[in-house]
């Protein structure tokens, strides 16, 4: 984790948060993901009047990277200009688990320069992924 340029990720996520479309929650979020290639991809939350149509920043960043051909990632940082540090929501944790290893660092930071760091495994233990399913014991075996 020491070789991750956290200030660069925070800057990219902060710029992404400035582009968020959050007219309903007033809760802009920006995310930066660091791919194995070294490239940084960003996303912001895009809300919709039909709340189920809202897409979180984490999923937008990962989708942008996937469109660019990325499939493996090293780190993710969530930024919001709110006092609360905000980890990824449940559905985003599941999407993150599809592309990140359980020991990948996931950080949350805010405009007050507060930061918290977890591993994906801490945020989503026993994640439902093809790797987990292939390595889990069979029920009734």
């Amino acid at each position: 984790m020491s070789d991750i340029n956290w200030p660069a990720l925070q800057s990219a996520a902060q710029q992404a948060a400035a582009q968020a479309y959050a007219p309903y929650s007033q809760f802009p979020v920006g995310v930066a993901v660091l791919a194995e290639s070294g490239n940084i991809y960003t996303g912001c939350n895009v809300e919709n009047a039909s709340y189920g149509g809202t897409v979180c920043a984490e999923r937008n960043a990962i989708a942008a990277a996937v469109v660019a051909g990325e499939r493996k990632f090293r780190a993710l940082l969530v930024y919001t200009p709110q006092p609360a540090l905000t980890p990824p929501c449940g559905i985003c944790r599941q999407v993150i688990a599809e592309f990140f290893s359980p020991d990948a660092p996931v950080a949350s930071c805010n405009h007050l320069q507060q930061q918290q760091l977890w591993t994906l495994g801490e945020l989503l233990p026993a994640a439902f992924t093809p790797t987990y399913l292939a390595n889990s014991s069979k029920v009734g075996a």
Side-chain angles (χ1 to χ4, degrees), residues 9-138:
L9 288 176
Q10 181 172 341
S11 177
Q14 190 168 354
Q15 290 173 26
Q19 299 304 317
Y21 179 73
Y24 306 103
S25 70
Q26 301 299 310
F27 198 90
V29 179
V31 167
V33 295
L34 175 63
E36 284 288 336
S37 67
N39 293 327
I40 295 174
Y41 298 88
T42 60
C44 63
N45 56 321
V46 179
E47 294 180 350
N48 190 279
S50 172
Y51 293 134
T54 295
V55 184
C56 297
E58 295 87 339
R59 288 181 282 147
N60 274 331
I62 291 169
V66 168
V67 167
E70 304 284 2
R71 296 295 186 273
K72 295 186 182 222
F73 300 91
R74 296 183 51 218
L76 182 143
L77 183 136
V78 179
Y79 171 85
T80 186
Q82 304 288 334
L85 292 172
T86 308
C89 74
I91 194 168
C92 286
R93 292 177 193 201
Q94 180 61 48
V95 172
I96 294 165
E98 189 75 18
F99 297 99
F100 289 70
S101 70
D103 62 340
V106 177
S108 177
C109 65
N110 63 15
H111 67 295
L112 302 172
Q113 302 306 314
Q114 297 169 322
Q115 186 172 7
Q116 186 164 355
L117 186 66
W118 304 270
T119 64
L120 176 58
E122 290 172 323
L123 290 175
L124 188 63
F128 184 78
T129 65
T131 303
Y132 173 77
L133 293 173
N135 294 326
S136 66
S137 60
K138 306 280 188 225

